Amino acid sequence: VVDSGLSQRATDVIIETPDGSLWAGLDNGLARIDPLTGHSEITRLPKAVMSLCAGQDGNSIWVSLAPYGEVWECPIRAGRLVSAEEWLQRRSALKSEVLSTSLLRASDGRTWFINDHYNLPTSVIDPATGSWEDINLSNLGGDNFDFSILETPD
């Protein structure tokens, strides 16, 4: 993503918010890209973005940061991220470094958090209570070594 001569290598995560904006996770920031003009605005972060998902009301983005997967809810006002002082930490850092995390906002409003560490569980947050529940997926086969999650229409 390039903006005013500033270039950064994007990670492999990009989402679209209800207003049509595209958001890309970068090695050291988060870029909002206007799909009509291609103009980008970059918010610098001290860590790499590992995963993104749109907030339940469309007025925020949830971000998981490397290397420990802490999750932040980043409010959006007038199409722009608010200052980092207003971000809400939704999940503390994991006990071990992870190479990958995935966030998914499900149609029921819950947010799923998947990580690739063999010894750390998958988690889901209940929007009504704000509490995380750990879910062991080892009964599905494997050893909880998960990389991504996808919701199907059925």
Side-chain angles (χ1 to χ4, degrees), residues 26-41:
L26 307 172
D27 290 341
N28 62 351
L30 186 59
R32 176 189 171 273
I33 305 161
D34 184 322
L36 299 176
T37 66
H39 177 76
S40 64
E41 297 174 7

Side-chain angles (χ1 to χ4, degrees), residues 38-74:
H39 177 76
S40 64
E41 297 174 7
I42 297 169
T43 300
R44 290 187 177 272
L45 300 174
K47 301 175 184 177
V49 174
M50 293 175 42
S51 59
L52 299 169
C53 76
Q56 185 174 2
D57 58 7
N59 293 322
S60 66
I61 295 175
W62 287 44
V63 179
S64 176
L65 299 175
Y68 294 98
E70 68 262 28
V71 176
W72 293 85
E73 182 178 8
C74 311

